[in-house]
Amino acid sequence: MPDNREKYVSDRLINRVSVTSSLKSLFTDVVADGRVAKNDSFEIPTRSAIQVEQVSTGSGAATMTVQTNTATPNLLTVDQHYGAVIEIGKMNAKYDLAGAWSDQLGDQVMIEIDNYVDSDVFTRALLYGGAWLAGATTPTTWVNPSGAAVTQDMTEQALAVMSTQRGVSLEGCEWVFHPYGLGSIRRLSAFTPIHTPVAAGGSLGMRTVGELHGLPVKMTNAVPNRLSIATTAVVVSTNVATATVAAGHGVVAGMLLTSTGHTVNSSANVTVTSTTETTIVYPLTTGDATLADGIGTLTVNLTINGLVHRPWAFIAQAKVPTIAIHARTGGKIVDELQSHTFWGSRGLPGAFIALGSPRLAFT
Amino acid sequence: MPTVQQHAPDAPETTEPGETPAGESTPAKSETLLRADFERWSDSFAKKINGELASLRKKGSPSAVTAAPDSVAEPKAEPLTVEDLKIYREIGRLEESVGQDMIDGLGEDYAGSTPAQQILILRGVQVGLAKTNEGSRGATPVVKPRINARAEAPVPRDTTPRPRSQQEHQALRSSNPRAFKALMAEDNYDPGKLPWSV
């Protein structure tokens, strides 16, 4: 027999998930029934180009060559498992389980876990998987990586870059903006606001706040306004530093960064000159050397808004976080509520065209 | 093996066609018609009365009106008077007005009372409800029973849709709030254990 508190909190979460729009709700969910376990993997489509060739000419049939259109598995793995343990008071039977207590606790769980999942899928699937094209020497899916004041040319460019990709359907595209990023585009003539934004889920979730170039604009604080990248080594040669970092950093040439934790740091913004899968190159005025303590942090102060092509962003998730309540032992007068969820996400290359804007500023 | 002797049933007294039973005279044709009319009227009246009695029996035994509280003998059924009918109609009207839930809440105090006492109890409840409504909703008038109004039927447990998924659970919340509430009150029901969809 379930703990009544468990089922009433679960009920609230089901209700919130049903009516709330969040960043991850823009993704294509590959698990219809929401039943996932850690390390489950699902095959998703690829965007590899298919070689098309001429089959015949006016003078007769031509020989077709079998191209390298071999099937390559593209897997989405459920590799994220996060949760929270909340201390709750023991309650007597008179407490209104269906009312304020379960509603508030359910909302708190929903807000924190949703925010965590949204931030993760933004960075992992959109920023890195969708916009950071591995091996690209120029940031073709980035507009305004330096975070200058947003102009209408920039938003036009983001839309044009997205639309230029074969297979993009504009009806599958939506803008996502940080609240400060939204402040940057309000002044643009291409932006049409909705003066009374409505979130279907009440006070929770992502809001539709207007249209930009005819496409819906969503506002969510899951959009990052700072990237912090840990370094494991830094080598300086002719005033150029090459920092070794983990894959999935999301930094592109043109971004402005500062460094901390090294023997020689750049406290003022410098412009990233190039990146690879595991390196970031930036100017650093000092003698040629391997910095003794290569362990430090590179910080990019930038708001990363952008345009999502929903059909190319995938997620596998447990729709509703699991709730379990356990009694604390040892004479404690409290119980603990555990809540956790599984998910994994991937964005295909080009699923996100990033649009930078100033951090915590509008211009 | 013992055999059971079969007895022929007693032969009924028969009357030859055209023969008149002893002690009866042949009625005149006009009398026959009148009698047929009377019997038709009598049948329809009997049906009407029986219908009334059937509905009244649901409210309580008519004999309880006059039976002594300590009487152990089988109460003798007495014919209903017009006054009895009026009393039971009034009880029915008041019961519909206050609602079945309220009547259930009155328990034995109500069920064991005489019809006259039941009317007093129901009128008291009705006044109480009217005051409550007035207090909570401002100038709400005394609730008058609607014609043909019936208390909301309880949701039979067997027909309550049991969600197979969390989506169906969510749908039930708005489509059938009473069933939803009843379901959540069940000890062995936990929506957190359902899949998101089926």
Side-chain angles (χ1 to χ4, degrees):
Chain A
M1 191 173 80
D3 187 316
N4 270 342
R5 296 171 296 179
E6 274 179 25
K7 70 180 186 183
Y8 278 102
V9 175
S10 290
D11 170 58
R12 179 66 171 183
L13 287 173
I14 292 167
N15 176 250
R16 297 288 89 185
V17 168
S18 302
V19 300
T20 301
S21 169
S22 58
L23 183 69
K24 63 187 167 69
S25 66
L26 295 181
F27 286 47
T28 302
D29 197 337
V30 298
V31 189
D33 67 0
R35 280 179 164 153
V36 296
K38 194 173 183 184
N39 294 324
D40 280 354
S41 63
F42 303 88
E43 193 156 325
I44 58 174
T46 65
R47 277 203 62 215
S48 55
I50 295 172
Q51 190 76 31
V52 178
E53 58 184 299
Q54 189 176 30
V55 177
S56 64
T57 64
S59 60
T63 303
M64 287 188 72
T65 307
V66 175
Q67 304 288 344
T68 54
N69 296 327
T70 51
T72 50
N74 195 24
L75 293 179
L76 188 165
T77 304
V78 178
D79 52 4
Q80 303 298 307
H81 181 198
Y82 281 81
V85 179
I86 305 157
E87 212 169 58
I88 57 173
K90 291 182 186 294
M91 292 178 299
N92 63 37
K94 290 180 181 175
Y95 210 95
D96 180 15
L97 289 169
W101 181 83
S102 53
D103 286 357
Q104 283 193 13
L105 194 55
D107 283 0
Q108 285 172 13
V109 169
M110 181 81 184
I111 288 167
E112 297 306 327
I113 289 187
D114 246 19
N115 192 58
Y116 201 97
V117 177
D118 276 1
S119 298
D120 176 80
V121 299
F122 188 98
T123 306
R124 198 177 300 273
L126 297 184
L127 181 58
Y128 185 70
W132 196 94
L133 301 184
T137 52
T138 54
T140 54
T141 54
W142 257 95
V143 178
N144 194 29
S146 67
V150 178
T151 65
Q152 191 149 316
D153 278 357
M154 293 174 183
T155 58
E156 292 276 15
Q157 190 189 349
L159 182 56
V161 171
M162 174 62 87
S163 306
T164 304
Q165 303 180 94
R166 286 195 295 273
V168 164
S169 56
L170 284 181
E171 60 270 27
C173 292
E174 294 193 29
W175 299 95
V176 286
F177 276 88
H178 186 276
Y180 274 90
L182 181 66
S184 299
I185 64 162
R186 278 192 200 279
R187 66 206 66 207
L188 305 181
S189 62
F191 179 75
T192 308
I194 295 173
H195 292 292
T196 52
V198 174
S203 59
L204 301 181
M206 189 169 63
R207 285 163 165 73
T208 301
V209 292
E211 283 186 358
L212 183 61
H213 301 296
L215 300 179
V217 176
K218 300 286 173 68
M219 183 186 72
T220 168
N221 59 6
V223 169
N225 61 4
R226 172 177 278 170
L227 294 177
S228 293
I229 304 106
T231 64
T232 55
V234 179
V235 178
V236 180
S237 174
T238 58
N239 293 327
V240 173
T242 301
T244 303
V245 297
H249 51 77
V251 175
V252 298
M255 287 182 177
L256 305 179
L257 61 73
T258 59
S259 61
T260 54
H262 303 135
T263 48
V264 182
N265 294 298
S266 175
S267 55
N269 278 325
V270 291
T271 304
V272 174
T273 50
S274 67
T275 62
T276 67
E277 185 86 19
T278 55
T279 62
I280 296 173
V281 181
Y282 60 96
L284 186 65
T285 306
T286 187
D288 293 358
T290 298
L291 299 187
D293 53 349
I295 297 174
T297 304
L298 304 179
T299 302
V300 177
N301 291 312
L302 173 71
T303 302
I304 305 174
N305 319 282
L307 183 58
V308 183
H309 186 229
R310 299 174 61 174
W312 291 349
F314 296 88
I315 192 168
Q317 61 174 332
K319 279 276 189 183
V320 179
T322 301
I323 296 292
I325 292 179
H326 304 286
R328 278 272 181 88
T329 55
K332 293 276 189 180
I333 58 165
V334 293
D335 293 335
E336 63 183 32
L337 181 143
Q338 295 182 4
S339 173
H340 66 100
T341 190
F342 297 98
W343 76 94
S345 63
R346 277 195 72 175
L348 301 184
F352 186 63
I353 307 300
L355 173 64
S357 70
R359 179 176 190 271
L360 302 180
F362 306 118
T363 57
Chain B
M1 185 175 174
T3 56
V4 178
Q5 191 176 358
Q6 303 256 332
H7 293 279
D10 293 337
E13 288 183 26
T14 56
T15 307
E16 291 298 319
E19 190 180 342
T20 304
E24 280 190 38
S25 59
T26 304
K29 193 175 180 182
S30 59
E31 280 180 6
T32 306
L33 284 173
L34 280 173
R35 188 169 193 153
D37 286 343
F38 173 77
E39 282 172 359
R40 273 199 301 276
W41 174 84
S42 175
D43 283 344
S44 68
F45 183 74
K47 279 181 188 171
K48 191 177 173 187
I49 291 295
N50 285 337
E52 286 274 3
L53 285 172
S55 65
L56 290 171
R57 282 193 192 103
K58 290 177 184 173
K59 310 288 184 189
S61 167
S63 61
V65 181
T66 52
D70 55 352
S71 169
V72 290
E74 183 70 19
K76 191 177 176 181
E78 294 180 6
L80 281 175
T81 65
V82 175
E83 282 306 310
D84 289 338
L85 288 174
K86 283 182 180 173
I87 286 171
Y88 288 122
R89 280 188 181 138
E90 178 66 4
I91 288 175
R93 189 183 70 78
L94 288 168
E95 282 187 346
E96 284 184 349
S97 168
V98 301
Q100 190 61 42
D101 289 345
M102 186 63 72
I103 292 167
D104 292 343
L106 293 172
E108 280 300 312
D109 289 345
Y110 174 75
S113 305
T114 64
Q117 289 170 330
Q118 286 180 340
I119 287 177
L120 288 175
I121 291 171
L122 290 171
R123 281 181 179 158
V125 170
Q126 199 179 36
V127 170
L129 282 175
K131 281 183 180 173
T132 306
N133 290 334
E134 197 173 359
S136 61
R137 283 184 268 167
T140 306
V142 173
V143 179
K144 290 184 179 176
R146 290 174 291 141
I147 295 170
N148 293 330
R150 290 181 185 278
E152 195 177 351
V155 179
R157 180 64 57 85
D158 293 341
T159 59
T160 301
R162 199 167 187 89
R164 293 169 301 156
S165 68
Q166 291 175 338
Q167 283 184 326
E168 290 182 3
H169 170 86
Q170 171 69 9
L172 185 65
R173 182 195 309 275
S174 52
S175 67
N176 193 343
R178 289 191 73 206
F180 180 83
K181 197 174 174 185
L183 195 61
M184 284 299 286
E186 285 186 17
D187 285 340
N188 60 352
Y189 178 73
D190 184 359
K193 300 291 187 290
L194 298 172
W196 172 250
S197 65
V198 289

